[in-house]
Amino acid sequence: MRGQQHGRNLAAMLGWRVRRWRQTLQRLRLSLGQRGWHGTVARIAQEFRRRPERDDTLPIAPLDTPFAPFALPVDATAPRVSVVIPVHGKCAHTVACLRSLARHGAEAPFEVIVVDDASPDDTASILPQIDGLRIVTHAQNKGFVDSCNDGAEAARGDFLLFLNNDTQVTPGWLDAMLACMREEPECGIVGSRLVYPDGRLQEAGGLVFADGSCHNIGRFESRDDPRFRYRREVDYVSGASLLIPRALFTQVGGFARDYAPAYYEDTDLAFAVRAAGRRVVYEPASLVVHFEGVTAGTDTESGIKRYQVRNRERFVQRHREALQDFPTAHTRVDAALRRYARGRMLVIDAMTPDPARDSGSLRLTAVFGLLHTMGWQTLFAPDDGHAAADRIDALGALGVQVLCRPWVRRLPEWLQRHGAELDAIMLCRAGTAATYLPLLRRVAPQAKVLFDTVDLHFLREERAAAVAGSAGLQRQAEASRRRELGLIASSDVTFVVSPVERALLADAAPQARVELLSNIHDVHGRRSDFAARRDLVFLGGFGHPPNADAVRWFVREILPRLQRHNPALHLHVLGDAPEDARRELSGPQVTLHGRVDNLSPFMDRCRLSIAPLRFGAGVKGKVNMAMSYGLPVVATPIAAEGMQLRDGVDVSIAEDAEAFAAAVLALYDDEALWLRLSDGGLENVRRHFSPEAAAETLRRVLN
């Protein structure tokens, strides 16, 4: 008898090992198809790399902390979100999950509903000690699907957030999902970026293939890789952290009972939501730690996990017609992700845009938002290879994948591998275009090349040479002119920001296609009245030569004239400034604040914005920005150029120091004139610099 039992145990052990090897080989075959050899080898290397069980940078609460009662920061009267947590045992994980909700909370009001699905442990005695928690109790085990549906039935929020009990949330997780739901058109489901406790990525959304198999995007990769840090539409998201409007959940019938007790119910829900005309979106800003497999295990041939195989067959039968449009199981992941995009565009600029740094960054960031709304899959590459984490995340919220170090070591090598996958390429500024245009014509001959001048450098340099009276600067401007005109001739489309520049190129490059893509500004509106304001403000960093010259000219020649009439006038300069400029220009009447992340306080409390530029080109973002807040502007003719502005109607224009000082004094003390220019400036921004005008240009060029 003992020998027979030993034989059965040995056979069972061998059978288990055979199943594991079979599953491993199947995953390897899929990986080769979806990742290629390079990605598969990297994936295998990751598996054999030693890692700690916990990533100390993640806010993970220990499971062995002795229980003590605590309270949840819930709104029992008017919750916007109902967090539904189905549980069957594993009380330590449930308590840790609830502690993370208590610790991190959310700006949006929420309630928490735990569905105790006949837990066999001490869950029923522990959970009532948590203040603010609502509990739905099952006398008998009904499974995940019924538990979620019963929790939804008890919910009072406008949104349902299904959350596994073996998860722990991180700061901002819920508010990020709500922002995604609000900002993405026709959004029906939002899913989180799920990570393992050891820090590796578990899921960045999911893909479904024609045979009903599924793929967790980014599984076991670095969670910090920009490939997984941008918002995008996906086939499904895991029910471990899934947000859906409660009315929509009811409309599609909730989680289908065909999949009880569990597995494929979240994938089926995504298909039902898509059939209802809504989208499924992955939101990387919502980071949730998931102890995957705690409840269900990992063996698909035993326990509750066996339903994963059975329910895949049911899913295929239920969605056979829809699956005909899905890619085969061996389709590469990056190719499968493109099925929701109108096209794939790469944008290259000298450095990563930062709207707080310069108007060109503000404009490019707005362009990214428009491209995302239009359905383009956008990639951005900074020529210097650098992108700070906050900028990667900010661009990710606009659907932009950033190609930067250390993940992309050399951009030319990336272009050699991926150039054939691009439909359009936008090169920002002449230096960037000169560097990459020849290579792109070789590796991406099918792509439409767009040259975004930002401003015509040669025009700005010609004017700087005239102000300085420098023959050397004039020769530099002539060289820039030859280079820029050559780039324009070699590009399919050239963007300029000013009608003046478009007219100039109509003569200088008559064969080129030149389109107006000007500055893009939201209209913030006037938020404080004349009497509540004081002082002057200048917007712009000293890294742009016209700005440095403008501030020096104003401080040296205009400000002394103003002080003779109004000694209390103070100038606030917002933008990067070197230390020598701070020493030279700072004083009782001048403060150089450096870069300011939030302009609104200055736009709301200053009485005038000044733009004393003596040279430059293009449209001046400093003028647009001030006017978008209803802040009147005194500008030189160069600063007002190409912006359809009229002196005395929507701007005050003055050329020399004496006239500029007089214009500032007149506008500073005349409330009726101030209001007229404030209203006129707001209307100018609405008419000429709106997102709608820019979107029309992009649609015309890209269709």
Side-chain angles (χ1 to χ4, degrees):
M1 289 291 293
R2 186 175 299 171
Q4 291 176 349
Q5 182 62 41
H6 177 73
R8 285 194 294 270
N9 292 341
L10 180 61
M13 183 181 68
L14 290 174
W16 177 82
R17 291 187 180 276
V18 167
R19 291 196 301 271
R20 289 297 302 273
W21 274 107
R22 189 185 302 134
Q23 293 168 3
T24 300
L25 289 172
Q26 182 181 11
R27 286 197 297 268
L28 180 60
R29 285 196 298 270
L30 283 173
S31 180
L32 285 171
Q34 295 165 353
R35 292 187 175 96
W37 276 106
H38 178 80
T40 300
V41 170
R43 165 71 181 85
I44 293 172
Q46 277 196 348
E47 274 300 284
F48 286 97
R49 188 181 304 141
R50 293 178 61 88
R51 302 182 61 87
E53 291 185 2
R54 298 285 189 272
D55 184 335
D56 291 339
T57 65
L58 291 172
I60 302 175
L63 301 178
D64 55 359
T65 301
F67 178 79
F70 59 94
L72 293 168
V74 297
D75 186 328
T77 58
R80 190 176 181 205
V81 181
S82 296
V83 179
V84 177
I85 306 175
V87 306
H88 178 68
K90 307 296 181 183
C91 186
H93 281 277
T94 304
V95 170
C97 175
L98 295 171
R99 281 199 181 109
S100 74
L101 288 170
R103 186 165 60 252
H104 302 303
E107 291 183 10
F110 66 96
E111 65 174 351
V112 181
I113 302 169
V114 167
V115 182
D116 181 4
D117 193 27
S119 293
D121 57 6
D122 55 354
T123 294
S125 61
I126 292 290
L127 295 189
Q129 301 179 59
I130 301 173
D131 187 42
L133 181 64
R134 296 181 60 202
I135 303 172
V136 175
T137 302
H138 288 168
Q140 296 180 331
N141 181 236
K142 298 170 66 175
F144 181 85
V145 169
D146 284 336
S147 295
C148 287
N149 287 339
D150 288 349
E153 185 69 25
R156 295 174 295 197
D158 296 327
F159 294 91
L160 302 172
L161 190 290
F162 295 102
L163 188 68
N164 276 16
N165 70 321
D166 58 347
T167 62
Q168 293 188 32
V169 304
T170 67
W173 72 287
L174 178 54
D175 294 310
M177 298 177 88
L178 288 169
C180 180
M181 185 70 73
R182 180 177 64 252
E183 295 164 2
E184 290 296 318
E186 304 302 324
C187 186
I189 287 178
V190 177
S192 299
R193 178 168 41 140
L194 301 177
V195 300
Y196 290 104
D198 66 8
R200 291 180 300 172
L201 184 64
Q202 182 182 121
E203 179 191 306
L207 294 174
V208 178
F209 298 101
D211 64 354
S213 62
C214 298
H215 176 77
N216 300 121
I217 299 168
R219 192 177 185 88
F220 301 124
E221 302 277 1
S222 166
R223 73 175 187 273
D224 294 327
D225 192 320
R227 289 180 298 159
F228 314 115
R229 288 165 67 183
Y230 68 97
R231 187 186 290 177
R232 58 174 172 266
E233 190 167 357
V234 291
D235 294 337
Y236 77 98
V237 297
S238 170
S241 178
L242 182 155
L243 180 75
I244 183 172
R246 182 158 61 100
L248 179 60
F249 187 76
T250 301
Q251 175 189 333
V252 300
F255 286 120
R257 292 210 74 259
D258 291 3
Y259 303 99
Y263 292 106
Y264 269 87
E265 72 287 331
D266 46 13
T267 313
D268 178 86
L269 181 67
F271 272 58
V273 163
R274 204 158 23 245
R278 305 288 282 272
R279 301 165 60 230
V280 179
V281 181
Y282 158 67
E283 176 50 71
S286 174
L287 185 69
V288 173
V289 182
H290 185 205
F291 295 72
E292 185 187 45
V294 166
T295 303
T298 58
D299 187 357
T300 58
E301 298 193 24
S302 66
I304 193 173
K305 195 76 172 175
R306 72 185 186 276
Y307 290 105
Q308 186 172 356
V309 176
R310 185 202 70 177
N311 284 352
R312 171 180 166 180
E313 297 171 357
R314 293 186 174 183
F315 174 77
V316 170
Q317 293 173 2
R318 187 177 172 114
H319 298 286
R320 190 176 303 279
E321 183 176 347
L323 287 169
Q324 292 176 3
D325 297 328
F326 281 68
T328 63
H330 293 284
T331 303
R332 292 179 65 91
V333 171
D334 53 357
L337 279 171
R338 291 199 292 274
R339 65 188 303 267
Y340 294 107
R342 289 187 54 191
R344 200 177 201 209
M345 177 184 289
L346 170 66
V347 178
I348 309 177
D349 200 353
M351 60 181 68
T352 301
D354 181 353
R357 184 181 63 228
D358 59 87
S359 64
S361 291
L362 187 68
R363 172 175 169 270
L364 182 56
T365 301
V367 167
F368 284 142
L370 293 174
L371 290 171
H372 182 57
T373 300
M374 293 164 61
W376 281 79
Q377 182 186 19
T378 308
L379 304 97
F380 171 74
D383 182 42
D384 65 2
H386 175 71
D390 64 331
R391 301 313 311 154
I392 294 174
D393 293 336
L395 292 177
L398 300 174
V400 179
Q401 176 187 342
V402 180
L403 308 176
C404 61
R405 292 193 294 263
W407 299 279
V408 174
R409 287 176 295 180
R410 295 189 68 251
L411 183 57
E413 293 176 359
W414 187 95
L415 290 169
Q416 292 281 359
R417 292 197 304 271
H418 299 284
E421 303 165 3
L422 301 173
D423 299 296
I425 301 160
M426 187 162 79
L427 302 170
C428 303
R429 308 174 205 272
T432 303
T435 299
Y436 289 100
L437 187 54
L439 172 62
L440 289 168
R441 286 304 193 191
R442 290 199 314 273
V443 302
Q446 77 292 337
K448 179 177 287 189
V449 175
L450 317 173
F451 173 32
D452 181 19
T453 61
V454 182
D455 64 21
L456 289 176
H457 289 32
F458 75 80
L459 180 60
R460 170 162 46 86
E461 290 171 353
E462 285 175 353
R463 290 168 171 174
V467 168
S470 168
L473 289 177
Q474 182 59 41
R475 287 192 296 272
Q476 178 181 322
E478 291 168 357
S480 295
R481 180 186 179 94
R482 289 191 296 272
R483 181 178 67 163
E484 284 185 272
L485 292 179
L487 293 170
I488 290 168
S490 300
S491 302
D492 297 312
V493 180
T494 295
F495 291 135
V496 294
V497 297
S498 160
V500 171
E501 294 180 342
R502 184 170 57 180
L504 186 157
L505 291 180
D507 291 332
Q511 303 304 315
R513 181 180 177 185
V514 180
E515 295 280 353
L516 181 63
L517 184 64
S518 199
N519 287 356
I520 306 166
H521 291 272
D522 294 322
V523 178
H524 303 282
R526 185 172 59 241
R527 300 187 295 202
S528 58
D529 59 23
F530 176 86
R533 297 168 179 263
R534 57 181 296 174
D535 295 341
L536 313 176
V537 64
F538 175 88
L539 306 176
F542 277 55
H544 190 50
N547 291 335
D549 175 81
V551 175
R552 287 190 169 94
W553 182 53
F554 184 87
V555 171
R556 291 169 181 169
E557 300 193 29
I558 300 172
L559 188 58
R561 290 176 165 88
L562 295 174
Q563 289 174 326
R564 286 197 291 269
H565 298 275
N566 188 343
L569 274 180
H570 193 96
L571 173 65
H572 301 274
V573 180
L574 311 182
D576 291 324
E579 191 56 39
D580 60 340
R582 290 175 180 272
R583 289 194 299 268
E584 173 193 354
L585 299 170
S586 296
Q589 275 72 44
V590 181
T591 302
L592 276 69
H593 294 271
R595 186 184 303 186
V596 176
D597 292 332
N598 183 12
L599 297 176
S600 296
F602 292 93
M603 298 295 98
D604 292 337
R605 74 170 185 248
C606 288
R607 188 170 288 182
L608 297 182
S609 176
I610 60 167
L613 302 181
R614 296 194 293 173
F615 62 93
V619 170
K620 312 308 180 294
K622 58 177 58 59
V623 176
N624 291 139
M625 178 60 74
M627 289 182 171
S628 74
Y629 282 90
L631 181 61
V633 179
V634 179
T636 58
I638 288 292
E641 181 184 69
M643 301 178 67
Q644 296 85 37
L645 292 169
R646 296 162 294 172
D647 185 27
V649 176
D650 37 31
V651 70
S652 183
I653 298 178
E655 188 161 10
D656 59 41
E658 190 68 40
F660 204 99
V664 169
L665 290 170
L667 185 55
Y668 196 86
D669 293 326
D670 188 335
E671 183 173 2
L673 176 60
W674 188 92
L675 286 169
R676 183 166 74 244
L677 296 192
S678 174
D679 290 339
L682 285 166
E683 181 57 30
N684 177 270
V685 174
R686 290 190 189 98
R687 184 181 298 120
H688 301 293
F689 304 102
S690 66
E692 291 76 17
E696 177 56 33
T697 297
L698 290 170
R699 279 192 291 267
R700 186 169 60 249
V701 167
L702 294 171
N703 283 345

